[in-house]
Amino acid sequence: MSETNSAAETAAPHRYTAAMAADIEARWQDFWDAEGTYEAPNPTGDLAGDPEEAAKPKKFIMDMFPYPSGAGLHVGHPLGYIATDVYARHQRMTGHNVLHTLGFDAFGLPAEQYAVQTGTHPRVSTEANMENMKVQLRRLGLGHDKRRSFATIDAEYYKWTQWIFLQIFNSWYDAEADRARPIAELVEQFESGVRATPDSREWGALSATERADLLSEYRLAYASDAPVNWAPGLGTVLANEEVTADGRSERGNFPVFKAKLRQWNMRITAYADRLLNDLDGLDWPEAIKLQQRNWIGRSEGARVEFPVDTAGGITVFTTRQDTLFGATYMVLAPEHDMVERIIPAAWPEGTHPVWTGGHANPAEAVTAYRKQAAAKSDVERQAEAKDKTGVFTGAYATNPVSGEKVPVFIADYVLMGYGTGAIMAVPAHDTRDFAFARAFELPMRCVVQPSDDRGTDPSTWDDAFSSYDAKLVNSANDGISLDGLGVVEAKAKITEWLREHGVGEGTVNFRLRDWLFSRQRYWGEPFPIVYDEDGIAHPLPESMLPLELPEVEDYSPRTFDPDDASAQPETPLSRNADWVNVTLDLGDGAGPRSYRRETNTMPNWAGSCWYELRYLDPNNDRQLVDPAIEQYWMGPREGQPTGGVDLYVGGAEHAVLHLLYARFWSKVLFDLGHISSAEPFHKLYNQGMIQAFVYRDARGIAVPAAEVEERDGAFYHDGEKVSRVLGKMGKSLKNAVTPDEICAEFGADTLRLYEMAMGPLDVSRPWDTRAVVGQYRLLQRLWRNVVDEVTGEVTVVETEPDEETLRALHKAIDGVGQDMAGMRFNTAIAKVTELNNHLTKAGGPLSRSVAERLVLLIAPLAPHIAEELWRRLGHTDSVVHQDFPVADPAYVVDESVTCVVQIKGKVRARLEISPSITDEELEALALADEAVVAALGGAGIRKVIVRAPKLVNIVPA
């Protein structure tokens, strides 16, 4: 402490300082915990409380689940937490029963990787991280109902995550009813013959394996052999949403390849239409809605069957069925199941040498090309590469409208992730098909009349021609002609023809793929699934939940060279034979049998798909959530037709990950009657990011930001010049500032005010520690306006304030209240500051009525100092549940406003008038003003334009 500060504190021992703030904040945090100040009562159950409180309008406010990192919090992390806390406090003060709490999303890769590196069990490190984070969050004064907090790694929590998985596994999507139904109802349909089996055999005639395989075609959770995103460097597979735009893993930045593995999937595609349509009723940022719409990717077109002599047919999905007559070859994705079934033993006679890739037979060519394609990411495969690659399968299909035989290729520019994994190639009218046809010397046929002067011979073209405005040509057979039709009319006509001839139909397709739900990791929820000797999956009965993670000596999955696309996953759980191989009685009448447990674990997204429901009823060990409690907090109501959380705040990076997955789980649970809310989050708010300057030396290595000096506009570290750029805040960039540092220097209330005052909440902003002092001084001035710094006595008086002070007070009350409700916390702080400055300049002691309302205004933003001042003002109850001040309209409206009077556009007079004056009264007043009369000089008046109360414009004759 400097001598100057020491002397100041001696002269003013009751000044608001960092030391005083620390004392005040710790005392009130203890008080809130002891009194259960933030405990929100449920309408029923073990958390029921004061009936009057529960009878208030409810408000459920949530932050996105934090992951308990070992690095702890930096000042960027609490931005959203402080914002929701301020909003929740204001809602309490405006008569709401507010549920606001915070848990931890504690399964996942970081803890597991730390365990592998250090030999510390992931539970040990994760729980230590959670305790550290709880201390940091508590210091911020966040008003959470701590009775409702939990972590996804708690067995009593993931029991219900596993239970939900079983509900999904035991369900199917009834397209006619447009909802999920129990799988038992589907079995009844097969047993009764209401629904036929694929080969029309009776259900009882099918083997157990055949029945299980058939039901897997319907189940909403199913295991299948399918192309997956395999990251050898992580030793696990990934969902599409976890792969970056450049084809690498979102976590760790490892290369991602396509591999065929047996994995668990969620049939989220069954809900594609509902996920799309229900976005309209949500109060979400349009940018997030657009991302989800694009990810779901609805497109209308047709499915068309191209017969293959040796293997049935190849089905394609196309949005340009009008160009069918121009399809001169086909392309399958290299992973397509049909490839093995159609390739002949030898090349057909006359096969073009360029089609074979130099291989002796189709099998060799396909095998070699598949290996080449597997080494590329989806993004690389879709890139507009100059050289198109592929190989002929040796098979031909028949174009159903022209009757022509068209060669079938495999090429990496076609993916299994869209449509059927097969395309009809119309090279004259598709850029990629055009390039492929040129490379492989394939025929092209013009079927859309070019609008330029290129003619109708594609062999003379430089590129493909594509248009929705052109007319069809060269598109006729004995039964149909599209010639002369526009695209829309041609689509409708050919779709009807396809349907009539049994070779296609109009359909809708989605970009959305089923959600890959398996991970080859240890630190995740075990699947409540066992396999019998025939490999049939059986769900564990609810009585066996939770299935807890076993203790293992080696937590690490087997990882590989990041570029080794041929590697195969090996899970940590598979190495624990005593856990994997078990004898169980599943209660299905079969008695005790030997089973093998599933050794994959669920992805880290599983726990966050439903956590909002656990906050409602956290101690329930009998059901997922009490229906009455769920209905109270999340049920549909006016303005919220699908129900959900009232406010959900978090980053925009989860648009097609957590947010899409949670919506899917909610819809399944809604369909099955477990919850009343078909959507989890009604209002979504994306906060911006707190950024920080990153300083790098000549080698490009980050240097500690706190050690950088600024001289003459340049920046130096250890005497060497460094560069500066604005970026993320983080430990690795050596620019992280912890909330602990700021709290120690200024207090938590100052940190809260600064983060809220930096700018609009949804905009990113740079951190500047030097600017924090501005909010610290606001609190010091506020303190001085109520408390004598020398004696510590409250200085307020019982007299009524003057009218000028009343106007300043009520304008602030009106403005701050509106800003709080609209989450415009930066402008709310500006209005509190303006009022406080007014009171400071006015001098003299504050009226008690003014002081109390000033304290209530700042209470949501700076709750500790507000509690302290409220108590010093003589109150014995907490400020948290006081009513927020209400503005008197008479003082909000200005007593007078200035009206400008113009003649020929020049200002001739300024009138002080009532803001409620009418146009007629203002016109009369302006025309009678001496300055106006003089300026007119007796001239007549052609027109008077009045815009009460601010403007009168006079146009002389």
Side-chain angles (χ1 to χ4, degrees):
M1 184 185 297
S2 70
E3 291 184 13
T4 302
N5 286 344
S6 178
E9 289 185 19
T10 301
H14 297 280
R15 175 171 295 171
Y16 183 81
T17 61
M20 179 182 282
D23 173 65
I24 289 171
E25 289 163 4
R27 279 193 289 107
W28 284 108
Q29 287 160 17
D30 289 342
F31 174 87
W32 293 331
D33 285 350
E35 296 294 317
T37 302
Y38 303 109
E39 293 178 359
N42 279 344
T44 185
D46 65 315
L47 298 186
D50 182 358
E52 290 187 13
E53 191 72 17
K56 293 178 178 179
K58 63 87 188 180
K59 194 68 73 170
F60 186 6
I61 298 164
M62 270 181 62
D63 301 277
M64 285 191 183
F65 236 176
Y67 188 87
S69 164
L73 299 176
H74 60 62
V75 292
H77 292 126
L79 178 67
Y81 306 151
I82 296 171
T84 53
D85 186 63
V86 174
Y87 183 75
R89 290 175 180 277
H90 179 254
Q91 290 297 305
R92 285 191 196 94
M93 296 177 76
T94 52
H96 294 83
N97 181 21
V98 177
L99 193 167
H100 189 212
T101 190
L102 195 71
F104 296 93
D105 192 12
F107 274 128
L109 202 55
E112 187 172 276
Q113 289 179 321
Y114 184 77
V116 171
Q117 294 165 5
T118 64
T120 306
H121 193 287
R123 177 175 292 280
V124 172
S125 59
T126 301
E127 288 182 345
N129 294 343
M130 284 193 290
E131 288 308 309
N132 179 52
M133 194 167 173
K134 286 176 184 177
V135 170
Q136 289 186 296
L137 292 171
R138 185 179 189 270
R139 194 169 184 182
L140 297 173
L142 302 178
H144 294 148
D145 185 344
K146 295 180 180 178
R147 303 170 304 165
R148 299 174 184 266
S149 184
F150 56 81
T152 53
I153 60 175
D154 300 338
E156 57 268 28
Y157 178 81
Y158 71 73
K159 164 188 175 178
W160 294 105
T161 306
Q162 293 170 335
W163 182 87
I164 296 172
F165 173 83
L166 292 179
Q167 305 312 300
I168 299 172
F169 174 77
N170 285 321
S171 301
W172 63 292
Y173 200 84
D174 184 343
E176 292 182 6
D178 201 22
R179 67 177 181 88
R181 295 172 61 185
I183 201 75
E185 295 180 13
L186 179 66
V187 173
E188 287 175 9
Q189 292 183 12
F190 282 126
E191 287 177 336
S192 65
V194 170
R195 184 182 295 266
T197 61
D199 59 5
S200 299
R201 283 188 293 162
E202 291 187 359
W203 178 255
L206 302 181
S207 68
T209 301
E210 288 173 324
R211 288 197 296 268
D213 289 345
L214 177 55
L215 292 179
S216 281
E217 296 296 318
Y218 291 86
R219 291 187 189 274
L220 290 178
Y222 64 95
S224 68
D225 293 313
V228 296
N229 302 304
W230 166 235
L234 285 175
T236 190
V237 300
L238 303 169
N240 291 342
E241 296 86 347
E242 295 173 299
V243 181
T244 64
D246 57 351
R248 303 178 77 85
S249 61
E250 183 188 49
R251 190 173 292 277
N253 197 36
F254 289 103
V256 176
F257 306 97
K258 282 295 180 186
K260 203 163 191 177
L261 301 168
R262 189 162 187 81
Q263 302 289 317
W264 282 98
N265 297 272
M266 292 277 183
R267 208 178 299 276
I268 192 173
T269 49
Y271 283 84
D273 266 324
R274 284 170 61 185
L275 289 168
L276 200 59
N277 296 336
D278 285 356
L279 284 169
D280 294 337
L282 300 180
D283 185 4
W284 284 20
E286 283 303 317
I288 300 294
K289 288 185 177 182
L290 181 61
Q291 285 185 68
Q292 288 215 354
R293 289 188 181 109
N294 290 342
W295 190 261
I296 295 167
R298 187 181 193 276
S299 55
E300 295 185 10
R303 288 187 180 272
V304 185
E305 193 82 10
F306 282 70
V308 179
D309 293 340
T310 57
I314 298 172
T315 303
V316 303
F317 170 80
T318 176
T319 59
R320 289 302 303 267
Q321 60 268 39
D322 55 303
T323 64
L324 255 170
F325 284 95
T328 56
Y329 66 97
M330 297 188 74
V331 184
L332 303 182
E335 306 89 353
H336 201 292
D337 288 339
M338 285 289 291
V339 175
E340 284 88 354
R341 301 206 296 270
I342 64 174
I343 54 175
W347 295 116
E349 187 177 345
T351 296
H352 196 312
V354 76
W355 295 2
T356 68
H359 295 280
N361 57 63
E364 286 183 13
V366 166
T367 299
Y369 189 77
R370 279 179 156 176
K371 186 174 182 180
Q372 174 186 330
K376 294 184 181 180
S377 70
D378 283 359
V379 175
E380 289 175 306
R381 286 170 58 170
Q382 289 181 295
E384 294 296 333
K386 199 175 237 186
D387 299 322
K388 292 294 178 191
T389 64
V391 71
F392 180 40
T393 64
Y396 284 85
T398 302
N399 184 320
V401 294
S402 69
E404 295 176 349
K405 295 287 187 182
V406 295
V408 181
F409 285 76
I410 60 171
D412 59 15
Y413 77 92
V414 176
L415 305 176
M416 284 303 298
Y418 181 77
T420 64
I423 67 163
M424 61 175 210
V426 184
H429 307 293
D430 179 272
T431 301
R432 292 187 303 170
D433 295 347
F434 184 93
F436 191 91
R438 278 281 165 88
F440 288 87
E441 300 178 20
L442 289 157
M444 303 186 203
R445 180 178 298 111
C446 173
V447 294
V448 180
Q449 180 68 50
S451 55
D452 50 28
D453 59 0
R454 68 175 68 196
T456 59
D457 180 4
S459 66
T460 65
W461 297 356
D462 294 327
D463 55 16
F465 172 78
S466 179
S467 173
Y468 273 85
D469 297 326
K471 302 292 184 182
L472 275 293
V473 295
N474 302 324
S475 297
N477 62 26
D478 292 341
I480 186 173
S481 175
L482 306 180
D483 292 344
L485 298 180
V487 171
V488 174
E489 191 179 355
K491 277 187 175 185
K493 189 171 183 178
I494 192 65
T495 300
E496 180 62 20
W497 185 91
L498 291 168
R499 187 189 63 77
E500 289 176 351
H501 288 75
V503 290
E505 61 179 348
T507 189
V508 174
N509 195 61
F510 295 92
R511 178 178 180 269
L512 180 69
R513 297 293 91 191
D514 281 347
W515 173 17
L516 179 69
F517 201 69
S518 296
R519 296 296 181 273
Q520 291 67 50
R521 316 296 306 192
Y522 168 70
W523 194 232
E525 298 91 342
F527 282 93
I529 293 288
V530 292
Y531 299 92
D532 63 22
E533 62 274 9
D534 296 321
I536 298 172
H538 296 265
L540 292 180
E542 185 177 333
S543 61
M544 291 186 180
L545 302 182
L547 171 61
E548 297 193 38
L549 269 177
E551 295 297 321
V552 298
E553 292 183 5
D554 182 6
Y555 319 114
S556 57
R558 185 180 176 196
T559 56
F560 304 86
D561 182 317
D563 296 310
D564 184 2
S566 63
Q568 293 286 308
E570 178 188 290
T571 63
L573 290 179
S574 66
R575 298 192 284 265
N576 190 333
D578 291 340
W579 184 83
V580 173
N581 301 304
V582 290
T583 299
L584 300 172
D585 185 347
L586 300 182
D588 54 5
R593 294 176 62 187
S594 295
Y595 295 98
R596 175 178 52 83
R597 295 195 192 279
E598 171 63 70
T599 60
N600 287 306
T601 53
M602 298 185 198
N604 61 300
W605 307 106
S608 60
C609 275
W610 72 282
Y611 71 119
E612 70 283 354
L613 298 172
R614 192 63 175 175
Y615 284 153
L616 307 182
D617 197 11
N619 304 318
N620 198 331
D621 60 359
R622 302 175 310 282
Q623 59 191 141
L624 180 72
V625 61
D626 183 306
I629 295 173
E630 188 272 336
Q631 174 72 45
Y632 173 84
W633 288 110
M634 289 185 63
R637 62 204 64 222
E638 186 177 352
Q640 299 183 18
T642 50
V645 173
D646 296 292
L647 175 65
Y648 193 38
V649 175
E653 64 272 16
H654 296 306
V656 296
L657 289 161
H658 158 61
L659 288 172
L660 194 61
Y661 299 154
R663 294 183 65 213
F664 165 55
W665 276 35
S666 284
K667 291 188 182 303
V668 178
L669 292 171
F670 171 79
D671 286 356
L672 298 176
H674 298 299
I675 58 176
S676 67
S677 47
E679 286 283 342
F681 315 114
H682 172 70
K683 180 178 176 65
L684 175 69
Y685 191 100
N686 295 134
Q687 88 272 19
M689 181 187 297
I690 289 183
Q691 300 170 304
F693 287 112
V694 183
Y695 299 89
R696 297 186 185 276
D697 62 19
R699 301 166 297 169
I701 296 174
V703 300
E707 300 173 9
V708 172
E709 297 178 352
E710 182 178 358
R711 298 198 300 268
D712 301 323
F715 303 94
Y716 297 87
H717 179 258
D718 285 344
E720 299 292 327
K721 194 171 183 179
V722 294
S723 64
R724 184 179 82 162
V725 63
L726 195 61
K728 292 179 68 174
M729 182 178 286
K731 189 175 180 181
S732 63
L733 297 174
K734 300 181 181 178
N735 62 353
V737 178
T738 70
D740 308 60
E741 297 171 52
I742 304 302
C743 289
E745 188 171 357
F746 300 105
D749 280 339
T750 295
L751 173 63
R752 291 169 60 101
L753 279 172
Y754 176 66
E755 294 217 358
M756 293 299 95
M758 291 172 75
L761 183 60
D762 58 350
V763 175
S764 293
R765 73 293 301 271
W767 176 268
D768 183 359
T769 300
R770 294 169 300 178
V772 177
V773 71
Q775 301 308 315
Y776 181 54
R777 287 174 180 152
L778 166 62
L779 294 180
Q780 289 182 314
R781 286 193 295 270
L782 172 70
W783 181 266
R784 279 198 300 270
N785 275 332
V786 181
V787 177
D788 187 294
E789 292 184 334
V790 176
T791 66
E793 297 297 319
V794 170
T795 59
V796 301
V797 295
E798 303 299 330
T799 58
E800 288 301 308
D802 59 48
E803 187 165 324
E804 185 181 359
T805 296
L806 283 172
R807 291 194 177 279
L809 173 66
H810 286 280
K811 282 186 177 181
I813 291 171
D814 181 59
V816 172
Q818 292 185 48
D819 287 345
M820 291 277 192
M823 300 181 72
R824 298 183 296 273
F825 304 126
N826 59 320
T827 53
I829 292 170
K831 291 178 175 70
V832 171
T833 304
E834 184 180 356
L835 172 63
N836 197 54
N837 289 343
H838 169 85
L839 298 173
T840 302
K841 289 175 184 175
L846 293 189
S847 163
R848 171 176 290 278
S849 65
V850 174
E852 289 184 347
R853 282 179 280 189
L854 175 62
V855 169
L856 293 172
L857 278 182
I858 205 165
L861 293 154
H864 307 91
I865 193 173
E867 282 279 27
E868 184 70 15
L869 291 174
W870 190 248
R871 181 59 59 92
R872 289 184 180 230
L873 285 165
H875 299 280
T876 57
D877 48 356
S878 170
V879 77
V880 170
H881 292 285
Q882 300 303 309
D883 290 338
F884 197 77
V886 177
D888 184 337
Y891 291 109
V892 173
V893 177
D894 287 327
E895 190 174 15
S896 67
V897 295
T898 301
C899 175
V900 173
V901 182
Q902 296 179 333
I903 300 174
K904 291 185 177 180
K906 291 186 177 181
V907 176
R908 297 299 185 180
R910 286 184 171 85
L911 310 177
E912 293 299 316
I913 48 96
S914 166
S916 60
I917 194 169
T918 66
D919 283 1
E920 294 76 13
E921 291 171 336
L922 182 55
E923 180 178 342
L925 199 63
L927 293 176
D929 184 81
E930 291 181 5
V932 173
V933 172
L936 284 170
I941 297 173
R942 181 157 61 90
K943 186 192 297 185
V944 179
I945 302 168
V946 181
R947 297 287 183 267
K950 295 292 184 71
L951 175 68
V952 176
N953 194 7
I954 301 171
V955 182

